[in-house]
Amino acid sequence: MNRILLASAFLLVSISAVFADETPSALPASAVVSPVPAAVSPVPAAVSPAPKVPALKLVEPHLHIARSNIAGHARIALTFDACMGQADERILSTLVRERIPATIFVTARWLKRNPAAVAVFLQNPDLFELENHGQNHIPAVDTPALIYGIASAGSPQAVRQEVEGGAAAMVAAGLPAPHWFRGSTAKYDFSAIGEIRAMGYRIAGYSVNGDGGSLLGAGITEKRIASAKDGDVVISHINQPTHAAGEGVAKALVDLKAKGTQFVRLGDVEDTGDDKTTE
């Protein structure tokens, strides 16, 4: 019996020695984990964070004109974007009939589709100041982005092409060379603003959004535009003849005229734009 017990004890000691010899050599040094006190949780190895891409900062500049400071005769600049589509005769005919001056921002695409409206502009040089809305109605942002679902120009070269292409189309259509630029969506990044200014353009912001991109109803559009105050610059659209907003724009023009409003074009008065758009 004693021999059996001694043999068993010898076997256990031998097995323990084997595991004691093999365990450290069987694991690489990197796999050896230092003991952690029971009250402390293990801390994972530090991992270098991925570099952060700076968020694209866009601005939608404001623009005001010099006030008249005459009670009952507020001075307002009406500006209209002609992006794509057809001319809205409800607005155009009201401007002509009421002899209301306005600044119209046209794209090359719109000019090609609306020769009759262009003829009206040319026949009324005392009313209409034509300015640059770009070649293809692409946001003048020199970093790739989606703005209201529209892809931006995406590079300085593409911003330049949008601006220069719009100006070239205007001259080809018999219009004077433009001095103002307003990009699609009226949003910009700061570097694009600097690029456009370096090309010799003032950038047209606004202070009253008249028709919400031509998507508002006639009633609210009329109220918005008719509420414009001395020194305001109103933006609306003259290229959506099937939208209800155009009816509201036409009514608001008559409302403002009845109130004794003094209408001016951007080129007629001094102006102040923020974000270095007119400095």
Side-chain angles (χ1 to χ4, degrees):
M1 184 68 174
N2 289 335
R3 290 178 180 177
I4 295 172
L5 291 173
L6 288 171
S8 299
F10 178 78
L11 179 62
L12 288 172
V13 170
S14 300
I15 293 172
S16 298
V18 169
F19 276 99
D21 290 339
E22 290 183 357
T23 300
S25 61
L27 294 175
S30 61
V32 178
V33 181
S34 301
V36 179
V40 180
S41 300
V43 178
V47 178
S48 298
K52 291 184 178 180
V53 178
L56 177 62
K57 181 174 177 57
L58 298 179
V59 293
E60 193 166 355
H62 292 92
L63 179 66
H64 288 86
I65 57 171
R67 299 175 181 176
S68 72
N69 292 319
I70 302 174
H73 296 281
R75 179 183 292 155
I76 294 170
L78 297 172
T79 69
F80 294 92
D81 287 0
C83 312
M84 293 170 283
Q86 301 295 328
D88 191 333
E89 291 295 336
R90 296 169 298 182
I91 300 172
L92 183 55
S93 62
T94 301
L95 291 170
V96 174
R97 183 182 66 250
E98 301 293 334
R99 308 308 295 170
I100 296 174
T103 303
I104 316 291
F105 287 85
V106 297
T107 67
R109 297 172 68 176
W110 188 88
L111 287 174
K112 291 178 182 178
R113 299 188 61 178
N114 295 274
V118 173
V120 173
F121 295 149
L122 292 172
Q123 292 163 7
N124 294 275
D126 58 321
L127 293 182
F128 299 114
E129 173 185 39
L130 281 298
E131 298 293 348
N132 189 356
H133 197 33
Q135 182 176 19
N136 290 308
H137 200 247
I138 296 173
V141 172
D142 60 18
T143 300
L146 279 179
I147 306 169
Y148 301 134
I150 305 174
S152 67
S155 71
Q157 296 77 13
V159 168
R160 176 174 289 275
Q161 179 58 46
E162 175 70 2
V163 178
E164 291 182 343
M170 293 180 65
V171 173
L175 302 174
H179 303 287
W180 287 85
F181 177 80
R182 176 183 285 157
S184 167
T185 74
K187 290 182 181 290
Y188 315 83
D189 54 348
F190 288 113
S191 53
I193 288 175
E195 292 154 14
I196 296 166
R197 293 287 291 124
M199 295 171 67
Y201 288 89
R202 302 171 78 78
I203 297 174
Y206 62 90
S207 59
V208 175
N209 186 339
D211 62 358
S214 82
L215 299 177
L216 297 178
I220 189 170
T221 296
E222 181 182 3
K223 289 179 181 178
R224 279 194 179 195
I225 298 175
S227 68
K229 297 178 174 58
D230 198 13
D232 272 334
V233 175
V234 180
I235 181 175
S236 298
H237 291 75
I238 196 168
N239 66 300
Q240 295 290 357
T242 64
H243 290 194
E247 178 185 348
V249 171
K251 289 182 178 179
L253 300 180
V254 177
D255 295 341
L256 287 170
K257 184 177 180 181
K259 289 165 59 175
T261 300
Q262 178 188 142
F263 298 102
V264 296
R265 302 171 299 184
L266 292 181
D268 296 336
V269 289
E270 294 183 357
D271 54 75
T272 303
D274 57 15
D275 298 313
K276 298 183 178 180
T277 50
T278 62
E279 292 179 2

